[in-house]
Amino acid sequence: MLLIPAIDLKDGKCVRLRQGRMEDDTVFSGNPAEMAARWVSEGGRRLHLVDLNGAFAGEPVNGDAISAICAAHPDTPIQVGGGIREEQTIEAYLRIGVDFCIIGTQAVKEPEFVARACKAFPGHVIVGLDAKDGMVAINGWAEITDHPVVDLARRFENDGVSAIVYTDIGRDGMMQGVNVDAMVALAEAIDIPVIASGGITNLDDVRALCEAPTQNIMGAITGRAIYEGTLDLAEGQRLADELR
């Protein structure tokens, strides 16, 4: 299982939000490229980049920072989310070295977009599903829909997405531990890989995910924990390698 460092971009800086609230942010670095280099040097084998401004604008905003990170780490798989609403955006990201584009809100609002993207860019599309109590949330988590996570995940699996990033919004940025039961429930319901997100705080969370009764959780995104030091990335990855 991979531990995937998160680099959330807001106004060109590396930040972390609490429960997705743009007004509740903590700035960890004014140089995202340096932060990316740090995580790669500490053993990160994949990077998770989020254009927070883009997510709210509906189009990429922090493209320069993303491009710089891709150029500096051509051998590290990079996944990007935030503001991906058009096929042209995916094409542009892949051109600069992004490996996987994560479609979030647009996947729920226009599921056909996911199907088109998978046909146009096979192997490069991931869907991000954010949920509270098993129901999908959209629009920066401001709106809880009546769509169960499992139902949408199965649909997108049939469309050909490479993985599902599943975020428990009740845990994200709160340092309260990962919701293992929710991750396992989704992982057991589909055949494509699940990437867990939200609440990963320390080695106990890494161990819990690795020891879960499924092999379908292929990665776990970690943000605030590695920035604040409650989880050492290198140590966490070593533990994951030992257990899985």
Side-chain angles (χ1 to χ4, degrees):
M1 188 183 79
L2 295 178
L3 282 186
I4 307 173
I7 298 175
D8 290 357
L9 301 165
K10 179 185 175 186
D11 304 330
K13 299 175 182 178
C14 178
V15 308
R16 291 301 293 169
L17 306 183
R18 293 183 187 275
Q19 295 185 311
R21 296 189 294 266
M22 285 289 276
E23 70 279 5
D24 191 359
D25 67 327
T26 303
V27 177
F28 284 103
S29 173
N31 191 326
E34 286 186 358
M35 190 59 69
R38 172 185 171 182
W39 299 137
V40 171
S41 71
E42 292 188 12
R45 300 173 193 164
R46 182 187 289 217
L47 296 175
H48 176 79
L49 311 184
V50 180
D51 184 343
L52 294 172
N53 300 107
F56 284 84
E59 60 183 12
V61 175
N62 290 282
D64 289 345
I66 293 170
S67 181
I69 291 171
C70 290
H73 305 284
D75 298 322
T76 301
I78 293 174
Q79 57 191 47
V80 173
I84 298 176
R85 307 282 196 271
E86 300 179 351
E87 290 177 47
Q88 296 94 314
T89 301
I90 299 175
E91 184 177 12
Y93 272 140
L94 297 181
R95 193 183 305 122
I96 65 172
V98 170
D99 297 275
F100 303 99
C101 288
I102 303 170
I103 304 174
T105 291
Q106 194 68 8
V108 182
K109 289 185 171 181
E110 187 188 353
E112 295 79 12
F113 172 57
V114 175
R116 295 196 305 271
C118 287
K119 289 180 181 178
F121 311 102
H124 295 286
V125 177
I126 291 174
V127 162
L129 294 177
D130 306 333
K132 183 175 183 180
D133 300 326
M135 306 304 288
V136 172
I138 59 173
N139 295 331
W141 302 350
E143 179 183 348
I144 306 296
T145 72
D146 58 359
H147 299 295
V149 166
V150 170
D151 290 355
L152 284 181
R154 285 174 173 156
R155 169 173 183 157
F156 297 133
E157 177 181 18
N158 291 333
D159 286 334
V161 302
S162 298
I164 299 290
V165 172
Y166 182 23
T167 302
D168 181 338
I169 65 177
R171 305 287 183 99
D172 189 70
M174 300 303 290
M175 306 285 282
Q176 295 177 349
V178 66
N179 188 340
V180 177
D181 291 343
M183 301 302 160
V184 169
L186 180 60
E188 290 181 337
I190 59 178
D191 293 325
I192 56 174
V194 171
I195 300 173
S197 176
I200 295 167
T201 304
N202 52 39
L203 288 176
D204 289 340
D205 293 311
V206 176
R207 182 177 291 105
L209 284 172
C210 289
E211 293 178 345
T214 176
Q215 295 296 307
N216 209 26
I217 301 175
M218 63 83 67
I221 296 168
T222 177
R224 186 173 289 273
I226 56 174
Y227 288 94
E228 295 191 350
T230 64
L231 174 63
D232 180 276
L233 178 63
E235 186 178 5
Q237 187 60 66
R238 282 195 297 270
L239 177 62
D241 291 342
E242 291 173 6
L243 297 177
R244 289 276 290 273

